[in-house]
Amino acid sequence: MTPWICATCCVEFSPSLNPPARCPICEDERQYVGAGGQRWTSMSELGQSHTNQWVEIEPCLTGIGVNPSTGIGQRALLVQTDKGNVLWDCTPLITAETIAQIKSLGGVVAMTMSHPHFYAAMVSWSQALGGVPILLPEADKDHVMRPDPAITYWQGDALTIVPGVRAVRCGGHFAGSTVLHWAAGAGGDGILLTGDTIQVVPDAGWLSFMRSYPNLIPLPGHVVRQIAATVAPLEFDRLYGGWWDKFLLQGAHAAVQRSADRYVKALD
Ligand SMILES: [Zn+2]
Ligand SMILES: [Zn+2]
């Protein structure tokens, strides 16, 4: 039995003898099945051609990606706190070296994800780290392709993962699209980890919001307003999106509000 991984979105499915017939994550209008049709891989196959990339981004924040990039380029972030480390987002590849590196930093007390496109091999990661709980918003339960007892669904608008680290549900791209607020990050100015709930764009100091990024489907103005209003009470100056080159080192709080205004104005 193999926990097959969709080659396009890199989401891992419940173990089966043969690959699943289809990938509901990719068939959804927010993703896509490539022109070549549905393709499957597995972690053992990925491990033959890929390695993990380990990047210390700033004190107590480490990025873990797959090299060369695969799927949609998923990258996880490890937030280290003295109350325990949190793994934000996930990747499709686990190596013994990465697990040893994480354990040398004290392991992980909880995993949580921005949205289903970053679920990747979360259940395998949980198992490799010793049965770490995976905390997901109930709103995205239908998008879980590998249900597991390690997954706990939370309801409501926010959940404290460890003291000082809080998952805040914004909605938008997915009903359960979440950001992670890390109060002590950036030397105490606060950091927001956003996946693509809030997307960093090339225009310096600006951000955006979409229902689908690959298919360029925008969000309604009232939803963009809701995302901006949800993060407005949070204190943060720095923002890291879901990819290596997507970050805003300062002024991120004002940038979210400014960018939401620009977006809604453009829709009008
Ligand atoms: Zn897929
Ligand atoms: Zn996405």
Side-chain angles (χ1 to χ4, degrees), residues 5-11 13 23-27 31-33 38-40:
I5 292 173
C6 170
T8 305
C9 70
C10 277
V11 168
F13 283 61
C23 174
I25 299 286
C26 284
E27 289 183 357
Q31 238 311 85
Y32 56 91
V33 178
Q38 178 66 45
R39 291 185 303 112
W40 298 95

Side-chain angles (χ1 to χ4, degrees), residues 166-204:
R166 197 164 165 79
V168 179
R169 188 167 71 90
C170 298
H173 180 40
F174 277 79
S177 276
T178 295
V179 297
L180 195 71
H181 181 240
W182 176 27
D189 289 339
I191 285 180
L192 205 63
L193 309 180
T194 65
D196 61 3
T197 305
I198 300 172
Q199 177 76 291
V200 179
V201 294
D203 192 2

